[in-house]
Amino acid sequence: MSQLACVLYLSIENKPFSETSLDLLVSSAQTTNKSHGITGFLYYKQRHFFQYIEGTPDKINDLLDNLKKDTRHKILEFVQDNTLNDRRFPNWDMGDLKTNQLMQIKFEDLIIENLLWKKTYKNTNLPINDANLWKLVDKLAFFRNKGHFS
Ligand SMILES: Cc1cc2nc3c(=O)[nH]c(=O)nc-3n(C[C@H](O)[C@H](O)[C@H](O)COP(=O)(O)O)c2cc1C
């Protein structure tokens, strides 16, 4: 299995997204991601986007460049791991967590809190360990995949 890369980020919209523009964003992301072998999910809540993407490093870096340049939102914090062995969301071209409300588990909120915490303490000497963040993403993947396919 060749090495994969993944990125998790939190961003804030620059102008309000309507339900329609969100749906368009998700469906176009699904089409593009499918052709680039990118899987993951997108979560939208209270003006914030929280997205996880995984794929080959070249495709992930290209998408990350696009996302950074996209004026519809501003990335507040992101973490990248280039040592991923197995996909966490192998069957999701771009899951839209907003519409999958079967699971009541609020891992998304925990992860958002972690990213905000990282952003706040970035310029201090406090040790910041991304391992906990990735553990939360693993848990989210476990419950989301189970909730989605069982
Ligand atoms: C919150 C957010 C999430 C996005 N997610 C994706 C995605 O998963 N895949 C994708 O191809 N584009 C996504 N986009 C769009 C990209 O930023 C960019 O517009 C797209 O890659 C097309 O770029 P290009 O037309 O310059 O090739 C997203 C945009 C926003 C604002």
Side-chain angles (χ1 to χ4, degrees), residues 47-140:
R47 305 195 54 216
H48 288 80
F49 288 104
F50 158 50
Q51 189 174 29
Y52 170 83
I53 48 173
E54 59 189 8
T56 56
D58 55 333
K59 298 292 181 201
I60 290 300
N61 287 328
D62 285 352
L63 178 52
L64 186 58
D65 283 346
N66 281 346
L67 287 164
K68 284 178 182 167
K69 280 186 259 166
D70 198 319
T71 54
R72 291 174 290 180
H73 73 159
K74 179 179 183 295
I75 295 185
L76 300 173
E77 188 63 64
F78 77 95
V79 281
Q80 179 161 8
D81 174 15
N82 291 331
T83 64
L84 183 69
N85 288 319
D86 299 304
R87 287 178 192 260
R88 295 181 169 99
F89 297 85
N91 302 309
W92 287 28
D93 299 321
M94 189 42 59
D96 178 5
L97 296 190
K98 167 173 68 79
T99 57
N100 181 358
Q101 289 167 340
L102 290 175
M103 305 295 296
Q104 294 302 310
I105 296 151
K106 292 291 177 201
F107 283 119
E108 303 92 337
D109 293 337
L110 275 176
I111 296 171
I112 290 172
E113 264 173 42
N114 263 264
L115 283 170
L116 287 173
W117 192 87
K118 186 174 155 75
K119 180 175 158 58
T120 307
Y121 292 99
K122 205 154 88 174
N123 299 322
T124 70
N125 288 328
L126 281 174
I128 295 177
N129 183 353
D130 290 339
N132 285 336
L133 208 46
W134 295 121
K135 261 190 229 158
L136 282 171
V137 181
D138 281 333
K139 285 187 182 147
L140 177 67

Side-chain angles (χ1 to χ4, degrees), residues 24-34 42 51 93-94:
L24 279 174
L25 177 71
V26 171
S27 63
S28 104
Q30 280 170 339
T31 312
T32 317
N33 292 353
K34 199 181 181 76
L42 179 66
Q51 189 174 29
D93 299 321
M94 189 42 59

